[in-house]
Amino acid sequence: MSSSKNSDDATGPAAVPSTAVRPDNQGAAEKATRTTLKYVDDRFGSASFLKRSMDKVFPDHWSFMLGEICLYSFVILLLSGVYLTLFFHASQQNVIYDGTYQPLRGVQMTDAYASTLHISFDVRGGLLMRQIHHWAALLFVTSIVVHMFRVFFTGAFRKPRTINWHIGTILLILGILEGFAGYSLPDDLLSGTGLRIAYSVAESIPVVGTYLCYFLFGGNYPGQDIISRLFIIHVLLVPGILLALISAHMMILWHQKHTDFPGPGKTEDNVIGTKFYPGFFLKTNGFLFMVFGMVTALAAFAQINPVWLYGPYNAGQVSAGSQPDWYILFLEGSLRMIPNWETHIFHHTISWNIFIPGVILPGIMFNLIALYPAIESWVTKDTGYHNLLDRPRDKPVRTALGVMSLTFYMVLVAAGSNDIIASTFHWSLQATTWVFRVMLIALPPIAFKLTKRFCLGLQHHDEALLHHGVESGIIRRLPSGAYVEDDIPLPPAKAAVLAKQIGYDPHHGHNGHAEITANGHGANGSGAKGHVDEAAEGIKRPVAIAAKVQSKLAAFWDEPRETVPDTQPHPED
């Protein structure tokens, strides 16, 4: 009704300029619009859907923008990729370069590399568009990783959002594959070195490795088909799958309730925040332009992948200090750290030093990522629906496992630059490699133990704040001669938020303290209804090995929350 009123006001005599459309023409246009919308609504029922969509509520928290960065960087990739496709030649045919870049004029190179130089130096805005595309690709994969960490540490992967977690895992794998295919297309010396490593990794797969390489490369390395096939994979196959998965991810997100952090008035059955239109719609569009502007600024002022400095690829050359993009660097590090292990069986050589770090290790890592929701659900017997998120400190074991995994990954990333580190600090390359091997084994468990301890300490701190308040700095002497510091209770609003976050239950407790559940703000959803205590009844049943494993893991997973003793001295009467 308000929009109609505003429309009527805008068409009043005082508001109509001399060039305005006459009322009869405007009425005809409005009538035609209403007729068209009614025609569409009668066939699709879109009016009710649009109304529900406009009223959908999105919670206000900065961490939710991580997924938006991923979406908007993908949009930038599509737009810039279409532009670059118009000028790139996916051909390994040898040509003599005769372009603008003088140092390489007269040099023999593939048509793919020559067209990349042409885009960089001869196409108007070509170099800027190349760098926008590359920076957006880095941002796309980075935002996926950071977003998945946010989902992991807050427990947003739990039922009913497990499918979206699996979609995110596939998006991560495809994003890495898409990035690798993209920076391999120019056929410069750096990207060619990466392709040679990929060829060796594929060839190390027992039995099928050789056939797989012949199929992909069209013969012995470097072959004549890999660039054209990577081009189809990069511009058609993987982007189509990515677009479909992102669409499915968004539709599932739209259909389900949005997750939110615990707080006053927030339950598993409601969402408190901003409506999609107009508040969230305006904010998210503004954020789109911010992301686009930041990527463009990076492309304009931060050089990335200067292929003209590397020269055309030559199978007999390797550039010093070759490093892939960061999301491939963990594979580079794992390949560099494994000793030279080989096995000769029936006149066949199995290169374990390539097969284990290049195929088995990534397979284990990505399968653990995909299966973690099912593992945690099985261990904790958590089958409930969760719309409220966990704070990382409230799930110390899960948080510690995440930090341990991140530490393992970061050691691999750092090991991918072992030659540069050794050269920079004048260390022995062999000694540097051995240091990384030791760190890969020793640092993850240390990170797990420290993170778990930090989480328990933060829980203890939260309970102390809720029970005793904050320190006032005022020291008071009791009649008994003891000295105590007065505490200031938290403000009611802050205390209510903290109580909701840590599972404050005002109806139960002892010693003046509220009861706080071991699992933070909510139960695990499994409940104990109908449970019979067989041990109390003297019933002994055989326990399967899986049940024993689950029981031990459950005891390890459910770290009990440390209680805060009431040690505050009381004044004597």
Side-chain angles (χ1 to χ4, degrees), residues 23-282:
D24 53 346
N25 292 338
Q26 186 175 7
E30 182 178 354
K31 182 178 179 181
T33 302
R34 289 182 178 275
T35 302
T36 303
L37 292 176
K38 186 176 184 303
Y39 177 86
V40 174
D41 182 51
D42 288 343
R43 286 152 180 80
F44 295 102
S46 56
S48 58
F49 170 76
L50 288 176
K51 186 179 184 305
R52 292 195 308 270
S53 300
M54 294 300 103
D55 291 338
K56 185 176 179 60
V57 176
F58 289 82
D60 298 318
H61 195 274
W62 65 267
S63 64
F64 298 122
M65 74 178 184
L66 299 172
E68 298 177 45
I69 296 176
C70 176
L71 175 63
Y72 299 149
S73 58
F74 182 71
V75 172
I76 298 172
L77 283 171
L78 291 180
L79 296 176
S80 57
V82 169
Y83 182 84
L84 296 174
T85 304
L86 301 176
F87 303 98
F88 181 74
H89 301 163
S91 171
Q92 290 180 267
Q93 180 182 356
N94 289 325
V95 298
I96 302 297
Y97 179 69
D98 190 28
T100 303
Y101 189 61
Q102 291 293 334
L104 290 178
R105 294 193 69 174
V107 176
Q108 187 180 38
M109 60 186 64
T110 60
D111 196 17
Y113 185 61
S115 65
T116 304
L117 295 177
H118 174 70
I119 293 172
S120 301
F121 295 106
D122 300 316
V123 175
R124 186 177 297 274
L127 180 57
L128 177 65
M129 200 62 67
R130 271 193 62 233
Q131 301 214 141
I132 287 176
H133 193 71
H134 202 131
W135 278 115
L138 294 178
L139 183 61
F140 177 67
V141 181
T142 303
S143 58
I144 291 178
V145 172
V146 178
H147 179 60
M148 291 190 70
F149 269 117
R150 198 278 300 176
V151 171
F152 176 84
F153 285 122
T154 60
F157 57 81
R158 296 171 296 175
K159 187 179 179 180
R161 295 170 182 84
T162 309
I163 299 299
N164 254 353
W165 173 263
H166 296 321
I167 291 177
T169 305
I170 299 173
L171 285 174
L172 175 60
I173 297 172
L174 291 178
I176 294 174
L177 174 62
E178 178 77 342
F180 174 77
Y183 76 66
S184 298
L185 287 177
D187 202 30
D188 58 284
L189 186 58
L190 180 62
S191 64
T193 303
L195 272 177
R196 184 66 183 90
I197 296 173
Y199 182 92
S200 299
V201 170
E203 197 176 30
S204 70
I205 302 176
V207 182
V208 300
T210 304
Y211 302 99
L212 181 62
C213 290
Y214 268 67
F215 171 74
L216 290 176
F217 287 81
N220 286 322
Y221 185 82
Q224 293 295 321
D225 299 329
I226 186 61
I227 297 297
S228 58
R229 289 173 178 173
L230 280 179
F231 182 72
I232 296 301
I233 292 173
H234 183 71
V235 304
L236 181 62
L237 181 61
V238 176
I241 300 175
L242 285 174
L243 184 60
L245 289 176
I246 291 176
S247 300
H249 184 87
M250 296 300 297
M251 287 189 290
I252 294 174
L253 173 65
W254 198 269
H255 174 71
Q256 295 174 338
K257 283 170 48 60
H258 206 294
T259 57
D260 198 2
F261 287 94
K266 298 179 180 179
T267 68
E268 297 283 358
D269 302 317
N270 69 347
V271 178
I272 298 177
T274 305
K275 286 188 176 182
F276 175 75
Y277 187 84
F280 182 78
F281 177 79
L282 296 176

Side-chain angles (χ1 to χ4, degrees), residues 290-418:
M290 288 178 60
V291 173
F292 207 118
M294 182 59 67
V295 172
T296 305
L298 283 171
F301 299 108
Q303 179 177 270
I304 188 170
N305 197 26
V307 295
W308 55 88
L309 298 180
Y310 308 142
Y313 179 67
N314 187 323
Q317 298 176 351
V318 176
S319 59
S322 299
Q323 309 294 325
D325 283 342
W326 73 267
Y327 47 85
I328 300 291
L329 204 54
F330 80 99
L331 282 175
E332 181 79 11
S334 62
L335 288 167
R336 295 186 182 195
M337 282 198 296
I338 298 298
N340 186 23
W341 294 338
E342 291 184 350
T343 302
H344 303 278
I345 303 177
F346 302 115
H347 305 289
H348 290 276
T349 300
I350 301 178
S351 300
W352 299 108
N353 58 319
I354 301 177
F355 181 59
I356 292 177
V359 179
I360 294 180
L361 180 62
I364 293 175
M365 292 172 63
F366 289 117
N367 274 285
L368 284 177
I369 293 173
L371 295 175
Y372 182 83
I375 295 173
E376 182 175 300
S377 177
W378 175 70
V379 170
T380 61
K381 294 185 177 180
D382 184 351
T383 58
Y385 285 79
H386 298 277
N387 294 316
L388 288 178
L389 300 174
D390 297 321
R391 295 186 307 166
R393 68 184 64 180
D394 293 327
K395 297 292 182 179
V397 174
R398 179 203 295 156
T399 303
L401 288 173
V403 174
M404 181 179 70
S405 303
L406 181 61
T407 304
F408 181 85
Y409 175 83
M410 293 306 298
V411 172
L412 291 178
V413 169
S417 304
N418 64 342

